[in-house]
PDB file of all heavy atoms in Angstrom:
ATOM      1  N   LEU B  18      20.609 -42.760  19.148  1.00  0.00           N
ATOM      2  CA  LEU B  18      21.445 -42.170  20.205  1.00  0.00           C
ATOM      3  C   LEU B  18      20.606 -41.331  21.171  1.00  0.00           C
ATOM      4  O   LEU B  18      19.948 -40.370  20.750  1.00  0.00           O
ATOM      5  CB  LEU B  18      22.520 -41.272  19.566  1.00  0.00           C
ATOM      6  CG  LEU B  18      23.533 -40.633  20.514  1.00  0.00           C
ATOM      7  CD1 LEU B  18      24.401 -41.712  21.141  1.00  0.00           C
ATOM      8  CD2 LEU B  18      24.360 -39.602  19.785  1.00  0.00           C
ATOM      9  N   LEU B  21      19.843 -36.925  25.992  1.00  0.00           N
ATOM     10  CA  LEU B  21      19.312 -36.371  27.252  1.00  0.00           C
ATOM     11  C   LEU B  21      18.603 -37.451  28.035  1.00  0.00           C
ATOM     12  O   LEU B  21      17.872 -38.278  27.466  1.00  0.00           O
ATOM     13  CB  LEU B  21      18.324 -35.237  26.944  1.00  0.00           C
ATOM     14  CG  LEU B  21      18.839 -34.032  26.170  1.00  0.00           C
ATOM     15  CD1 LEU B  21      17.706 -33.013  26.000  1.00  0.00           C
ATOM     16  CD2 LEU B  21      20.020 -33.384  26.864  1.00  0.00           C
ATOM     17  N   LEU B  47      19.593 -29.997  24.721  1.00  0.00           N
ATOM     18  CA  LEU B  47      18.478 -29.613  25.578  1.00  0.00           C
ATOM     19  C   LEU B  47      17.713 -28.436  24.952  1.00  0.00           C
ATOM     20  O   LEU B  47      16.467 -28.471  24.864  1.00  0.00           O
ATOM     21  CB  LEU B  47      19.002 -29.239  26.978  1.00  0.00           C
ATOM     22  CG  LEU B  47      17.994 -28.656  27.941  1.00  0.00           C
ATOM     23  CD1 LEU B  47      16.824 -29.610  28.187  1.00  0.00           C
ATOM     24  CD2 LEU B  47      18.646 -28.308  29.282  1.00  0.00           C
ATOM     25  N   PHE B  48      18.438 -27.417  24.510  1.00  0.00           N
ATOM     26  CA  PHE B  48      17.774 -26.277  23.881  1.00  0.00           C
ATOM     27  C   PHE B  48      17.063 -26.726  22.578  1.00  0.00           C
ATOM     28  O   PHE B  48      15.946 -26.306  22.310  1.00  0.00           O
ATOM     29  CB  PHE B  48      18.803 -25.190  23.542  1.00  0.00           C
ATOM     30  CG  PHE B  48      19.198 -24.319  24.708  1.00  0.00           C
ATOM     31  CD1 PHE B  48      18.742 -24.601  25.973  1.00  0.00           C
ATOM     32  CD2 PHE B  48      20.034 -23.232  24.523  1.00  0.00           C
ATOM     33  CE1 PHE B  48      19.103 -23.804  27.047  1.00  0.00           C
ATOM     34  CE2 PHE B  48      20.396 -22.426  25.582  1.00  0.00           C
ATOM     35  CZ  PHE B  48      19.929 -22.716  26.867  1.00  0.00           C
ATOM     36  N   GLY B  71       6.577 -33.501  24.516  1.00  0.00           N
ATOM     37  CA  GLY B  71       5.729 -34.679  24.592  1.00  0.00           C
ATOM     38  C   GLY B  71       6.110 -35.765  23.650  1.00  0.00           C
ATOM     39  O   GLY B  71       7.205 -35.779  23.083  1.00  0.00           O
ATOM     40  N   PRO B  82       8.587 -23.104  14.325  1.00  0.00           N
ATOM     41  CA  PRO B  82       8.024 -21.761  14.148  1.00  0.00           C
ATOM     42  C   PRO B  82       6.848 -21.506  15.097  1.00  0.00           C
ATOM     43  O   PRO B  82       6.721 -20.374  15.624  1.00  0.00           O
ATOM     44  CB  PRO B  82       7.568 -21.737  12.668  1.00  0.00           C
ATOM     45  CG  PRO B  82       8.427 -22.756  12.039  1.00  0.00           C
ATOM     46  CD  PRO B  82       8.626 -23.846  13.029  1.00  0.00           C
ATOM     47  N   ALA B 117       5.096  -7.742  15.213  1.00  0.00           N
ATOM     48  CA  ALA B 117       6.436  -7.202  15.478  1.00  0.00           C
ATOM     49  C   ALA B 117       6.988  -6.473  14.247  1.00  0.00           C
ATOM     50  O   ALA B 117       7.703  -5.494  14.375  1.00  0.00           O
ATOM     51  CB  ALA B 117       7.388  -8.357  15.860  1.00  0.00           C
ATOM     52  N   GLU B 126      16.017   0.052  17.094  1.00  0.00           N
ATOM     53  CA  GLU B 126      16.672   1.112  17.901  1.00  0.00           C
ATOM     54  C   GLU B 126      17.037   0.586  19.285  1.00  0.00           C
ATOM     55  O   GLU B 126      18.069   0.920  19.828  1.00  0.00           O
ATOM     56  CB  GLU B 126      15.726   2.327  18.019  1.00  0.00           C
ATOM     57  CG  GLU B 126      15.595   3.116  16.750  1.00  0.00           C
ATOM     58  CD  GLU B 126      16.934   3.527  16.143  1.00  0.00           C
ATOM     59  OE1 GLU B 126      17.788   3.998  16.905  1.00  0.00           O
ATOM     60  OE2 GLU B 126      17.139   3.322  14.926  1.00  0.00           O
ATOM     61  N   GLN B 134      27.580  -0.598  18.426  1.00  0.00           N
ATOM     62  CA  GLN B 134      28.386  -0.776  17.188  1.00  0.00           C
ATOM     63  C   GLN B 134      27.577  -1.379  16.059  1.00  0.00           C
ATOM     64  O   GLN B 134      27.963  -1.248  14.894  1.00  0.00           O
ATOM     65  CB  GLN B 134      29.674  -1.601  17.460  1.00  0.00           C
ATOM     66  CG  GLN B 134      29.453  -2.992  17.913  1.00  0.00           C
ATOM     67  CD  GLN B 134      29.526  -3.099  19.420  1.00  0.00           C
ATOM     68  OE1 GLN B 134      28.759  -2.421  20.137  1.00  0.00           O
ATOM     69  NE2 GLN B 134      30.399  -3.940  19.934  1.00  0.00           N
ATOM     70  N   GLY B 144      27.942 -12.307   7.596  1.00  0.00           N
ATOM     71  CA  GLY B 144      29.045 -13.250   7.405  1.00  0.00           C
ATOM     72  C   GLY B 144      30.425 -12.593   7.434  1.00  0.00           C
ATOM     73  O   GLY B 144      31.421 -13.271   7.599  1.00  0.00           O
ATOM     74  N   ALA B 187      26.013  -7.417  28.231  1.00  0.00           N
ATOM     75  CA  ALA B 187      24.791  -7.082  27.427  1.00  0.00           C
ATOM     76  C   ALA B 187      23.650  -7.964  27.822  1.00  0.00           C
ATOM     77  O   ALA B 187      22.495  -7.505  27.934  1.00  0.00           O
ATOM     78  CB  ALA B 187      25.110  -7.228  25.945  1.00  0.00           C
ATOM     79  N   GLU B 233      24.830  -9.102  41.216  1.00  0.00           N
ATOM     80  CA  GLU B 233      25.473  -8.069  42.042  1.00  0.00           C
ATOM     81  C   GLU B 233      24.790  -6.746  41.814  1.00  0.00           C
ATOM     82  O   GLU B 233      24.304  -6.464  40.727  1.00  0.00           O
ATOM     83  CB  GLU B 233      26.956  -7.981  41.639  1.00  0.00           C
ATOM     84  CG  GLU B 233      27.722  -9.180  42.171  1.00  0.00           C
ATOM     85  CD  GLU B 233      29.135  -9.267  41.612  1.00  0.00           C
ATOM     86  OE1 GLU B 233      29.453  -8.501  40.664  1.00  0.00           O
ATOM     87  OE2 GLU B 233      29.897 -10.100  42.090  1.00  0.00           O
TER      88      GLU B 233
END
Side-chain angles (χ1 to χ4, degrees):
Chain B
L18 183 68
L21 300 180
L47 173 59
F48 280 5
E126 288 308 313
Q134 63 264 57
E233 287 170 350

